[in-house]
Amino acid sequence: MTIFRPWYLAQMSVGVVQWVGIALMLTPLIIERTGSGALMGTVMSLVGLFGVCAPLIGWLADKYSIHRELQKVALFSHLTSLILLYFAGTTSYMYILVGLSIGIGTVTQLVLNPAFVLNALNEQDQSRGLSRLFQMQFFGIVVAGSLVGLVSLLGWSSEQQLLLLMMLVAVSIITVFISPPPRITTSAESEDSVQATSKSASTLAFIVFLVTVFISMFTSSNLMETGPIIIKEVFNVDLGHSAFGLAASAVVTMLLLEPAGRCAQKFGSYVVWMAALACYAVTSIGLWLAVDTGVSSLVPILLIMLMMQAISWFDMAIPAIAESLSPSSPALTQGLLLFAMAGGFGAGTFIAGQLIELNGFVSVVNYCAGSIVVTLILAAVTLLLKKK
């Protein structure tokens, strides 16, 4: 059965802007143009802290049935962020607007796109549908990362690279206008019946799950979104090499998402989620151990590539886990999940920015290693509560 739908290309803009745009363009440009690690941390925190609005976005979308309209707003917000970055120069408030625009676009899409998939498919096919959706996110990373790496070697300016990213986001926008996702329907009766039975018993597990996701973002946001600049400063890895590493890793991710989706379909999403967290630990602790050892630059690149695989599995698994534990309606559930993700992203990157300002980039590696230990403990508690 073919589960892919053309509108899944909307998720491509998340890969282009949130992953490549931030990691290879936004954070290096802030450091290059302003030299301020604190500004970088503030901007990154804004990207995440927009997640406080995620439950409101989900609630509004469900209440007024404006899921498709808000999706279009999100895509145009991504495009706006690249345009603002193009003209930002050394003006601090422009970078603040860039971070806000990225936050609006990414959070809104990550609330709505999984909800579209979960609503349109039966429970048996949901994991496969989510894997297809996130394959398009990594397809965006493959294309954008390859193009940025290539034109960087050819000597193109940052502004020309940003124009390429704008063109890719425009493809997502055009596709959604031509082939929009199906409308989400909510049934009050079905929600009431579910809340009255199994979901009411799992509310505590859902809360602990959200806290686990929040803390996990301290590790993943800093090692992925600011990973290239961190390994450049700590391990002397050229950003052009990071671009190709990001693209190569995204190709592997697209391939591995298929068996990961089948695994979730057969054994459940929790297995995939825990495998992702185990890879988080390998990456963060591996980088921590590699500091000041003179290891080959290939080692941190490979660890960051592993992190990308883990994040793709993590992102694919958690919408279904949230849906199974939450007592709320579809988009509101995903909004609460994004509240935890984006809040963790914002808090985690803000702390990292302050650490960079005070103690340099190595302190972020230490911070990420400590964060994953706390995450693993909370994940174990979630599993125990889920079984009760």
Side-chain angles (χ1 to χ4, degrees):
M1 176 183 177
T2 301
I3 296 176
F4 175 77
R5 298 291 181 271
W7 73 263
Y8 285 15
L9 281 170
Q11 192 78 6
M12 183 177 77
S13 81
V14 177
V16 172
V17 177
Q18 182 72 25
W19 289 62
V20 175
I22 288 179
L24 298 179
M25 300 299 300
L26 176 59
T27 54
L29 281 175
I30 291 176
I31 297 297
E32 177 186 321
R33 293 173 177 175
T34 70
S36 174
L39 177 61
M40 185 193 78
T42 301
V43 172
M44 295 295 288
S45 69
L46 273 178
V47 174
L49 289 177
F50 185 78
V52 300
C53 299
L56 176 61
I57 292 170
W59 178 80
L60 288 172
D62 283 337
K63 183 174 180 62
Y64 298 106
S65 296
I66 53 174
H67 306 86
R68 294 197 293 188
E69 290 77 9
L70 288 178
Q71 184 192 52
K72 293 182 177 68
V73 169
L75 288 167
F76 278 109
S77 187
H78 267 169
L79 182 61
T80 299
S81 70
L82 297 174
I83 295 171
L84 289 170
L85 184 57
Y86 184 92
F87 292 105
T90 59
T91 309
S92 296
Y93 80 85
M94 289 288 282
Y95 293 102
I96 301 295
L97 292 177
V98 170
L100 182 61
S101 298
I102 293 174
I104 293 171
T106 298
V107 170
T108 303
Q109 283 213 75
L110 292 179
V111 168
L112 297 177
N113 290 349
F116 284 127
V117 173
L118 293 170
N119 184 76
L121 300 174
N122 59 48
E123 187 173 350
Q124 183 179 2
D125 293 326
Q126 286 177 350
S127 294
R128 297 285 299 282
L130 289 170
S131 70
R132 292 286 189 276
L133 179 71
F134 285 101
Q135 278 178 326
M136 291 302 99
Q137 176 173 311
F138 288 92
F139 173 73
I141 298 171
V142 171
V143 176
S146 298
L147 287 174
V148 169
L150 178 61
V151 300
S152 176
L153 293 178
L154 293 175
W156 284 32
S157 67
S158 298
E159 289 74 17
Q160 291 171 314
Q161 294 173 34
L162 284 169
L163 288 173
L164 285 176
L165 300 187
M166 291 179 208
M167 291 173 59
L168 293 176
V169 174
V171 171
S172 291
I173 294 172
I174 293 168
T175 302
V176 166
F177 273 94
I178 295 174
S179 178
R183 289 196 176 276
I184 293 178
T185 57
T186 57
S187 169
E189 291 183 3
S190 64
E191 287 173 14
D192 290 342
S193 66
V194 171
Q195 289 174 22
T197 55
S198 60
K199 284 195 176 181
S200 62
S202 61
T203 301
L204 179 58
F206 181 57
I207 293 172
V208 177
F209 171 69
L210 292 180
V211 175
T212 307
V213 170
F214 179 88
I215 300 297
S216 74
M217 295 301 295
F218 287 16
T219 300
S220 61
S221 63
N222 286 301
L223 291 185
M224 203 63 251
E225 306 295 351
T226 59
I229 188 66
I230 288 174
I231 65 174
K232 175 181 181 291
E233 297 294 333
V234 177
F235 300 102
N236 298 313
V237 177
D238 183 78
L239 284 174
H241 295 157
S242 290
F244 285 120
L246 200 61
S249 182
V251 172
V252 176
T253 300
M254 289 177 65
L255 297 175
L256 292 183
L257 270 172
E258 179 64 25
R262 292 181 183 275
C263 179
Q265 187 176 31
K266 185 175 183 179
F267 300 107
S269 297
Y270 290 94
V271 173
V272 177
W273 182 51
M274 292 305 297
L277 291 180
C279 292
Y280 280 23
V282 171
T283 299
S284 55
I285 295 174
L287 288 173
W288 177 67
L289 292 172
V291 171
D292 293 329
T293 62
V295 298
S296 166
S297 62
L298 184 62
V299 172
I301 290 177
L302 289 175
L303 288 172
I304 293 297
M305 288 176 68
L306 175 63
M307 190 74 184
M308 178 181 283
Q309 314 312 314
I311 290 175
S312 71
W313 302 338
F314 183 96
D315 289 348
M316 184 200 72
I318 59 175
I321 295 175
E323 178 70 15
S324 70
L325 295 177
S326 172
S328 303
S329 57
L332 178 56
T333 292
Q334 300 306 317
L336 292 169
L337 176 61
L338 258 295
F339 178 87
M341 291 181 71
F345 181 101
T349 52
F350 179 79
I351 293 171
Q354 301 309 307
L355 288 174
I356 291 169
E357 197 79 2
L358 294 172
N359 301 307
F361 285 88
V362 173
S363 62
V364 179
V365 177
N366 300 333
Y367 162 60
C368 291
S371 298
I372 192 59
V373 174
V374 177
T375 300
L376 292 173
I377 294 171
L378 290 171
V381 174
T382 301
L383 292 178
L384 289 174
L385 290 173
K386 172 249 180 185
K387 290 180 179 180
K388 292 183 178 180

